[in-house]
Amino acid sequence: QVQLVESGGGLVQPGGSLRLSCAASGSTFSINDMGWYRQAPGKERELVATISSGGSTNYADSVKGRFFVSRDNARNRVYLQMNNLKPEDTAVYYCKAKIYTAINGLRIYWGQGTRVTVSS
């Protein structure tokens, strides 16, 4: 079945940058909308950024101007470039994708998450 795997998380100082990657793998499938969510300790999971199949993007107000989402359709990947990181960006970041397969049709898939820690 289809799997989403995130990578690129780690420890970074305030003001630093990280680039997260999400790779989709499986048999025959096609990816529609993709996005990134995050969950900080003691908080609910929240939307960070989305990107449609046509390339339209949407961002949470807290990350506008700092985070940028992009996708590589040929490689079945979505990226999140995070700049000028702040301590409040500390969270587990999850990849989300709407994927079509012949067996299941359109369905939402989630990755297992990658941890980002912003601290001095």
Side-chain angles (χ1 to χ4, degrees):
Q1 58 182 3
V2 176
Q3 291 184 322
L4 299 178
V5 180
E6 303 98 332
S7 62
L11 175 65
V12 64
Q13 294 187 0
S17 297
L18 285 174
R19 183 178 176 87
L20 305 184
S21 177
C22 173
S25 63
S27 188
T28 301
F29 63 89
S30 61
I31 305 175
N32 292 306
D33 297 343
M34 304 187 76
W36 290 93
Y37 291 71
R38 68 186 181 187
Q39 187 166 20
K43 298 184 64 177
E44 297 293 323
R45 187 175 299 187
E46 64 177 354
L47 172 69
V48 176
T50 61
I51 183 166
S52 72
S53 60
S56 297
T57 58
N58 186 43
Y59 299 93
D61 289 340
S62 60
V63 306
K64 286 182 179 178
R66 299 189 299 120
F67 290 12
F68 301 92
V69 63
S70 61
R71 62 191 293 167
D72 185 339
N73 292 331
R75 292 178 175 270
N76 295 319
R77 298 177 188 271
V78 62
Y79 305 94
L80 184 68
Q81 178 67 46
M82 305 185 295
N83 302 317
N84 191 25
L85 284 161
K86 304 175 180 180
E88 52 263 42
D89 294 319
T90 296
V92 176
Y93 285 72
Y94 297 91
C95 177
K96 176 187 176 183
K98 181 180 291 184
I99 298 176
Y100 173 85
T101 65
I103 296 176
N104 296 315
L106 280 175
R107 179 181 174 183
I108 299 296
Y109 294 85
W110 290 89
Q112 294 299 306
T114 184
R115 186 177 300 275
V116 173
T117 302
V118 184
S119 176
S120 60

